[in-house]
Amino acid sequence: MTQPTRWLRRGIAAMAGSLLLLSSAAYAGAPQVKTQAPGFYRVMLGDFEVTALFDGTLDLEPKKLLTNTTQAQVGKLLDRSFEKDAVPTSVNGYLINTGSKLVLVDTGAGGLFGPTLGNLQANLKAAGYQPEQVDDVLVTHMHGDHVGGLVVDGKLAFPNATIHAGKEDADFWLSKANLDKASGEMKGFFQGAMASLNPYVDAGKFKPITGNTELLPGIKAVAAHGHTPGHNVYVVESKGQKLVLWGDLMHVAAVQFVQPQVTISFDVDSKSAAVERKKAYADAAKGRYLVGSAHLPFPGLGHIRAEGKSYVWVPVDYQQVR
Ligand SMILES: [Zn+2]
Ligand SMILES: [Zn+2]
């Protein structure tokens, strides 16, 4: 055997040995952990600290849910964004520490939507806060995935907070007459809203919002009715920086940024919902301010830019808090 051949043989033997080691290491590997990092993400907005809180994800099927479009069109747009028929859809809330007040915008689903949601309160604690510290809860609208977290086991989850929501939503969703005349599948929406809000109404801790109102210094409610009769967005401003929390102005990024006219079956008044969405997109693109959206992939914070008649979502970069 020549010298080089011997080296080659030794080399191959050594390689085989390390491969054997590698594969036996894989067999004896650590158990897979299968949990995610705690669901909070912080940014500073002027003097305000904003913490996005993750409630969980829910699989939505846009082909079945989206309206004012076709299944084929939705399928094409989903495919373009590497999405399948079921899109894992985030539910996000936002905690704002103004320095003098702790304000939560939307509360997640609590116990209303099963095991994949209902983590907002745990993530609020993981983010360094306690539910008792929350002074005000601003509700974008009274769908269960936004208000379910107001109660835990029938008790006030935020015992020291005043709850604010659009008066038209309270009149609509908390009406016994509306519940009675609702169809079977719609009844759950009313029951979820009542179970979540009524304990606060009974305790004198609910304040309805009428029209555009400054609720606290730097935090304003702006009516964007359509998705529900009293749907509000919240405008947060500090030191010239601006964040608009959209609630449910849109649900499916892959479709509704490209085609803002596409609506969803949860809309109470889909025509007005589409008008408000287009208005909000155009304003955010022009104003170049930060947007937070309840159902965009967590943390749901970013900017949007116009491209022809479509829009493009630009998520924030992951970053340290500065
Ligand atoms: Zn909704
Ligand atoms: Zn929602």
Side-chain angles (χ1 to χ4, degrees), residues 12-208:
I12 289 170
M15 259 169 66
S18 48
L19 275 176
L20 203 70
L21 264 178
L22 268 178
S23 61
S24 61
Y27 284 124
Q32 296 176 339
V33 180
K34 293 189 174 171
T35 54
Q36 200 54 276
F40 67 88
Y41 178 80
R42 255 193 280 268
V43 291
M44 292 304 292
L45 185 87
D47 286 338
F48 293 180
E49 179 207 70
V50 177
T51 308
L53 297 173
F54 181 63
D55 193 50
T57 59
L58 190 66
D59 279 352
L60 286 190
E61 295 182 69
K63 277 190 191 169
K64 291 184 187 158
L65 293 172
L66 292 178
T67 49
N68 200 24
T69 181
T70 63
Q71 292 210 355
Q73 185 59 247
V74 172
K76 227 157 81 183
L77 289 173
L78 290 178
D79 188 58
R80 195 172 163 241
S81 284
F82 304 90
E83 300 283 8
K84 305 268 185 308
D85 283 355
V87 176
T89 304
S90 289
V91 175
N92 310 318
Y94 298 91
L95 186 70
I96 304 151
N97 188 340
T98 69
S100 57
K101 291 280 183 190
L102 191 62
V103 180
L104 177 64
V105 178
D106 286 343
T107 67
L112 292 178
F113 278 72
T116 66
L117 295 180
N119 303 301
L120 186 136
Q121 183 155 152
N123 283 324
L124 181 142
K125 289 177 185 167
Y129 290 101
Q130 293 302 320
E132 293 76 18
Q133 294 175 301
V134 175
D135 297 297
D136 295 274
V137 177
L138 315 184
V139 169
T140 59
H141 66 298
M142 293 189 184
H143 276 159
D145 51 324
H146 300 256
V147 295
L150 281 171
V151 291
V152 176
D153 302 326
K155 293 202 190 77
L156 310 186
F158 303 99
N160 301 315
T162 303
I163 316 304
H164 308 257
K167 180 177 185 301
E168 299 85 346
D169 251 39
D171 292 346
F172 185 75
W173 296 110
L174 306 182
S175 152
K176 178 91 173 43
N178 282 354
L179 167 67
D180 290 342
K181 69 179 185 220
S183 66
E185 58 177 20
M186 279 300 291
K187 279 199 196 301
F189 283 87
F190 290 92
Q191 287 158 340
M194 289 177 187
S196 309
L197 269 301
N198 282 346
Y200 291 88
V201 175
D202 296 344
K205 289 168 174 282
F206 176 69
K207 275 200 179 163

